Amino acid sequence: MSRIPLVDPAAAAPASKALLDSITQAFGSTPNMFRAVANAPAALQSMWGAFAALGGGVVGARLGEQIAVAVADRNGCDYCLAAHTALGRRAGLSADAMRAAQSGESDDPRTAAALRFALKLVDARGRADAADFAALREAGFDDERIVEILAHVALNLFTNYVNLAFAVPLDFAPVRLRHAA
């Protein structure tokens, strides 16, 4: 049971209603995470705006979803792991690719470098060194992509914390955690 009420989109405050309508249109329903965050319209606007901005970024949906499952697994967030596994599959990634991403791994060296960096940021609480950036650049990431990778990590920390702190009920098919902290 959620520790915070899940806002009914039909009864939402005007400041949240339009955003929830957009979210419902995008997903075909309103995921519980957004219903929880809708208690604070500014937080909902921030979260949905970040998803929209990064969804149109240069990193791409596939890598974004792989980063999301790596971060979710590391943080033990069942909700985000389930949601982003489903979204990754919808973006064309295989079940094996999504399972590997949970551990920060990929058959693609470029993706693997991005996932290692993402998990380093999580594990080291944002601290990275010159070698971490050199590895990303060697893998072909420019500064724009490096900043976007960090933005994906930050957004997923936000969503992981929402779901963990509020005990948001799962409304996606569950996925088994592999390496939770």
Side-chain angles (χ1 to χ4, degrees):
M1 178 169 203
S2 181
R3 295 181 184 115
I4 194 161
L6 301 179
V7 174
D8 177 352
S16 293
K17 177 90 173 94
L19 292 169
L20 289 172
D21 289 346
S22 295
I23 292 163
T24 302
Q25 186 175 10
F27 285 92
S29 63
T30 310
N32 287 336
M33 176 184 72
F34 294 107
R35 294 178 60 206
V37 176
N39 284 282
L44 182 62
Q45 182 177 10
S46 172
M47 181 183 283
W48 188 239
F51 275 117
L54 291 174
V58 296
V59 165
R62 293 170 81 158
L63 180 54
E65 297 305 336
Q66 288 170 298
I67 291 167
V69 299
V71 172
D73 197 88
R74 187 58 52 96
N75 286 321
C77 183
D78 291 314
Y79 190 98
C80 289
L81 179 59
H84 290 287
T85 296
L87 292 169
R89 296 300 311 277
R90 195 160 72 179
L93 289 160
S94 70
D96 288 341
M98 295 309 290
R99 267 191 301 280
Q102 285 180 247
S103 301
E105 299 169 2
S106 174
D107 291 338
D108 174 56
R110 190 168 189 266
T111 300
L115 295 175
R116 278 192 301 275
F117 181 72
L119 290 178
K120 168 77 183 268
L121 291 172
V122 173
D123 293 341
R125 295 189 173 123
R127 291 172 183 83
D129 58 31
D132 298 316
F133 288 94
L136 279 175
R137 289 188 175 100
E138 267 181 46
F141 290 100
D142 61 15
D143 292 340
E144 180 180 12
R145 284 163 179 78
I146 292 170
V147 172
E148 250 186 56
I149 290 167
L150 187 140
H152 276 278
V153 171
L155 173 58
N156 284 285
L157 289 172
F158 177 25
T159 62
N160 289 180
Y161 289 5
V162 162
N163 290 298
L164 291 167
F166 299 149
V168 176
L170 195 60
D171 52 1
F172 291 89
V175 175
R176 189 173 157 260
L177 290 164
R178 296 181 77 180
H179 297 83

